[in-house]
Amino acid sequence: MAILSSLSSPICALIFAPLLLGIINRTKALVAGRRGPPLLQPYWDIAKYLRRGVVYGKVTTPLFRLGPIVNLASLAVALLIVPFGGLGAALNFSGDLIVLAGLLALGRFATVLAALDTGSSFEGMGASREVHFAALAEPAFFLALATLARVTGSFSLTPIYAGITVNAWIHALPTLVLVAMTLLILELVENTRIPVDDPATHLELTMIHEVMVLDHSGPELASIHYAAALKLWIFGSLFVGVIVPFRSSSFWLDGVAILLGMAVLAVAVGTIESTMARYRLVQVPQFIVGAATLSAVAFIIMLV
Amino acid sequence: MLDFAAAIVLLLLGGLLAVVFCARSVVCQTAGQFGAIAGSALGLVSAIRVLLTGKADGISGVWYMPGGGLHFQIDALSAFFLLPVFGLSILTALYGRSYLTDRRSGYALAGSWFHLNMLTAGMALVIAAHDGLLFLLAWEVMALSPFFLVAFDDRKASARKAAWIYLSATHLGTAFLLIFFVLLGELAGTSDFDGYAAALRANPALSSMVFMLALIGFGSKAGIVPAHVWLPEAHPAAPSHASALMSGAMIKVGIYGLVRALTFLGTPQPWWGWLLIALGASSGVLGVLFALAQHDLKRLLAYHSVENIGIILLGIGIGVLGLAEGIPLLAVIGFAAGLLHVLNHSIFKGLLFLAAGAVQHAAHSVELEELGGLLKRMPWTGAAFLIGATAIVGLPPFNGFVSEFLLFYSGFFAVVQPAVNLASAGLISLVVMGLISGLAAACFAKAFGIVFLGSPRSPQAGEAREVARPMCAAMAILALLCLVFGLAAPIVVSALDRVVAAATGLAIGGVRDQLATVTGPLTIAISIFAVLIVIAASAWAIRSRRMALAAVPTGPVWGCGYPHPTPKMQYTASSFAQPLTTQFHFFVRIREALVPPEGYFPATASYSSESSDPFLRRLFAPAFRWFDHLSRMEIIQRGLVNVYVLYLAATLIVLLIWGSI
């Protein structure tokens, strides 16, 4: 039971992460008045890509193949330190949030270099935007985590999320609301969802993530899609862990509560995507800096 | 201590023999290289011995220099700073010989070996000196040699200009150090370091002034903003292995001086910590922003040295704040972060400069817009640069991550403290470090991506071939060190105990306990990275085996609909960084010259961009123009002996009158 509970959060993530994408797409379809693809479509897509052959660009080096592998591997091991609401992470130590940031950055760096490896101006453009927005999102991420650390008096993810109880919400309501907003914006920014980028379009209309992975094919594309789902899951659980302060110390109750929270988050993201337009590119930095400011204000509230 | 003395003698002897045999380039190179490698290896042994045994090693003697004593001492702090000096010196000597083979006359060759060895010896003597006057003499040796190294290509006007900028910058700093040591010597009544701490305890009112003098004097050597302006001029001009030694080791001697000065000063004031954090934050952010705007690879690396000095200062600043507020854990982790970053930066920045030199050697250019596709042509250099870039960005599993982990750890630890000032200092350092890491990742994605990936943007880049074996070996050793210092993080951090104890003045037992609180988390982090490496390696192996079974087709990549994309259509370094430089245009000013295509059949069009350092343009250039006005004073400098005798007599009379009143 102990092993089960400590591994529950990475296993849940590995199984259910693509389902989040399915729920988002179904929500968007329903809002638009369509029936939409099946909920499990992301799984079928990944399975299909895994069976397909590959084509490589003429100028590419082995780095092009290595990029998606490193990205997926770093996100997969990051699951070991991400707590799932009240359920602790598999590993928990002071400073694990720094390791999480490092692993996310490593995955991004690998993806960006694989994109630049094609020598295509199109993918260079995507890579340039990715590093731009990531450089602004990183301080926002640390601001949010630092505020949560200040609220709970700990700087390890599992105790932080165990400490966000109903009681904590009563004591630090404004702070937690602001941090939750930051984390929601980061979920949209880091996973390049609307209003930052439109993942539904391909080619020239997409601006960031899909641009970078345009020339990948076959199993590499499958690993990119799966890694994208995992990243959506990681940032999603950081957000849901804050807004669902249900800590019953019962494994099953906590697990069900947080899974429901993730489903609601997916519906919410789908609704945001259906009701908002994509920002112009020059407005995205303001959006991210705004998210950072929210957390800065939250921290100042906690300071006094 | 005997091996240290022998190391200095060997270094000097090698340099001298290189000059004596300058007519025969093989003998000259062998002498210079052997002196550097053998001397530095001996020096490295002496430093490692002190670090392992923890016993300070000293030598003192009598000499006839008035106002100073001959006293060298290597304690844990000195020994720690000797590691990058001697370690990099060995590798740069290994690399330098092949790098210099196709260089011109033996005279220049001998000069470069002589000054390189003098630089190493000078740095070692500065770090070992235990006497104010001796320190200043060694400091001058260390400060003068790079002048000749920067002016190595003295037929180029830009190299001569860079050398002069370096010389004025270094002497501006030395001026403050002179006051610093004279003041301390005056207070203590002795020039020996042992007397300084007691003298300052007796005069606590002066300690803030002494701190400021040390900060300006040593900070200008380290390249803290705004005293960084010489770095981006000097590094591109010097031979690459000299840049590696200067950036990897020499600017760290400035940090050594600052930390040594802090040991004299006793319990610091909180505002010193705040000042260090502010300077570290501005150096870090501005350094990386200026680096983003560069398209000369070596200038870009030089600005990254400014950024990393900023990171080091942030760590030391948090440590000083911890000491001032009486929180030992914060002090220990802060100092450990700063000091470990000194060592780590010397490894990866040395590596990156050597790799940039290899690019220059092979492709005859370090202009990013003329390079591209070098990873296929120079796989060793490319892999080494990639590892160096990943390490400097602070990504796991390399060594840069470890020191940045310590810094973030100290930031989070400060954030959860009840005191408001500590929490805000922690938050500032976290946000600044987050921004710096994000921007550094952008900058090195650009540097590596444009230089080594894609297709060549010029014929020379297309003809580049891998450099000679010794150069590859030097880079491979440094790349391996990046990985080893990353994966052996818990051991490395716990080995810092004596160094941190010497820097903070805290008891060694307490320091060990504090460091043990981070080695536990680091061990788990390293195991996670080990799992990552295993997963990635097995995925790679499975993919490679499956791909070997089927012939994999290759095809053109998407070129935005152009049927015949050329290498010129690739994204450029300037366009890659443009969104960020535009966003931060308040700090980074880019001058553009555009000749747009005109008419129905446009024939020519051109675009060029250039970013100049705002501090050089706005601060130093006007200041030096103002100094030019002082040249009117040259009317008193007549060049006639009898006039000077008159000055002497007049001064004497004034002094006599002064004395009699």
Side-chain angles (χ1 to χ4, degrees), chain B residues 574-596:
Chain B
S574 311
S575 49
F576 188 84
Q578 189 265 344
L580 274 167
T581 49
T582 312
Q583 170 120 51
F584 292 97
H585 65 94
F586 183 75
F587 302 109
V588 186
R589 288 291 157 85
I590 294 192
R591 258 180 295 172
E592 300 176 317
L594 175 67
V595 181

Side-chain angles (χ1 to χ4, degrees), chain B residues 395-447:
Chain B
L395 294 179
F398 297 104
N399 58 350
F401 176 78
V402 181
S403 37
E404 294 197 5
F405 178 87
L406 292 183
L407 194 47
F408 277 118
Y409 193 97
S410 66
F412 274 113
F413 181 76
V415 156
V416 298
Q417 297 302 306
V420 171
N421 60 341
L422 286 179
S424 0
L427 188 77
I428 289 169
S429 84
L430 285 178
V431 171
V432 166
M433 280 302 298
L435 187 61
I436 291 175
S437 342
L439 292 173
C443 193
F444 274 95
K446 164 183 122 169

Side-chain angles (χ1 to χ4, degrees), chain B residues 4 71-74 78 123-136 138 193 256 260:
Chain B
F4 180 78
H71 189 184
F72 289 105
Q73 187 175 323
I74 306 180
S78 302
M123 290 190 288
L125 289 175
V126 167
I127 292 171
H130 205 69
D131 179 278
L133 191 69
L134 197 61
F135 186 99
L136 279 176
F193 280 7
Y256 163 77
R260 179 63 77 190

Side-chain angles (χ1 to χ4, degrees), chain A residues 18-32 34-39 41-42 45 193 198-200 266-267 269-271 273-274:
Chain A
L19 186 63
L20 279 188
L21 287 169
I23 299 178
I24 292 176
N25 289 338
R26 174 56 75 85
T27 311
K28 285 168 77 174
L30 288 178
V31 174
R34 293 181 283 119
R35 271 185 53 219
L39 276 178
Q41 187 61 40
D45 285 345
R193 314 294 306 186
D198 189 349
V267 173
V269 171
T271 317
E273 299 215 341
S274 310

Side-chain angles (χ1 to χ4, degrees), chain A residues 13 47 58 60 82-83 93 97 106 113 128 132 145 172 174 195 246 255-256 258 260 276 302:
Chain A
K58 283 201 182 81
T60 53
V82 178
F93 51 95
L97 22 72
L106 178 66
L113 289 186
S128 160
H132 179 193
L145 290 180
F246 185 73
V256 169
I258 193 82
L260 280 178
M276 275 186 89
M302 271 318 283

Side-chain angles (χ1 to χ4, degrees), chain B residues 330-543:
Chain B
L330 197 60
V332 167
I333 307 291
F335 269 97
L339 292 172
L340 186 58
H341 204 70
V342 165
L343 192 62
N344 286 339
H345 180 248
S346 73
I347 295 173
F348 49 66
K349 188 49 73 63
L351 170 59
L352 289 168
F353 265 116
L354 294 188
V359 168
Q360 184 163 38
H361 207 263
H364 308 289
S365 174
V366 282
E367 169 64 44
L368 295 182
E369 318 292 22
E370 290 175 4
L371 299 167
L374 290 184
L375 184 59
K376 279 189 168 172
R377 290 157 185 83
M378 307 168 69
W380 285 91
T381 308
F385 194 96
L386 178 59
I387 291 176
T390 318
I392 196 173
V393 172
L395 294 179
F398 297 104
N399 58 350
F401 176 78
V402 181
S403 37
E404 294 197 5
F405 178 87
L406 292 183
L407 194 47
F408 277 118
Y409 193 97
S410 66
F412 274 113
F413 181 76
V415 156
V416 298
Q417 297 302 306
V420 171
N421 60 341
L422 286 179
S424 0
L427 188 77
I428 289 169
S429 84
L430 285 178
V431 171
V432 166
M433 280 302 298
L435 187 61
I436 291 175
S437 342
L439 292 173
C443 193
F444 274 95
K446 164 183 122 169
F448 182 78
I450 301 297
V451 174
F452 289 96
L453 302 176
S455 9
R457 292 175 176 79
S458 70
Q460 310 100 283
E463 287 157 16
R465 289 288 167 268
E466 187 57 276
V467 289
R469 289 246 175 92
M471 291 166 78
C472 288
M475 291 187 280
I477 292 172
L478 285 168
L480 201 64
L481 283 178
C482 282
L483 188 63
V484 168
F485 274 71
L487 291 181
I491 303 169
V492 175
V493 171
S494 46
L496 284 175
D497 52 358
R498 293 202 180 92
V499 186
V500 175
T504 55
L506 297 169
I508 180 90
V511 171
R512 279 202 189 113
D513 293 342
Q514 322 284 12
L515 285 178
T517 59
V518 281
T519 48
L522 272 175
T523 314
I524 307 178
I526 300 304
S527 341
I528 293 176
F529 303 150
V531 173
L532 193 166
I533 294 173
V534 170
I535 293 179
S538 30
W540 177 264
I542 293 168
R543 279 294 293 145

Side-chain angles (χ1 to χ4, degrees), chain A residues 143-144 146-148 150-151 172-180 182 291-304, chain B residues 427:
Chain A
L143 266 167
T147 312
L148 289 181
R150 179 102 187 141
V151 171
L173 179 75
T175 300
L176 286 176
V177 168
L178 291 171
V179 172
T182 309
T293 317
L294 291 177
S295 269
V297 172
F299 189 86
I300 293 168
I301 296 173
M302 271 318 283
L303 209 53
V304 287
Chain B
L427 188 77

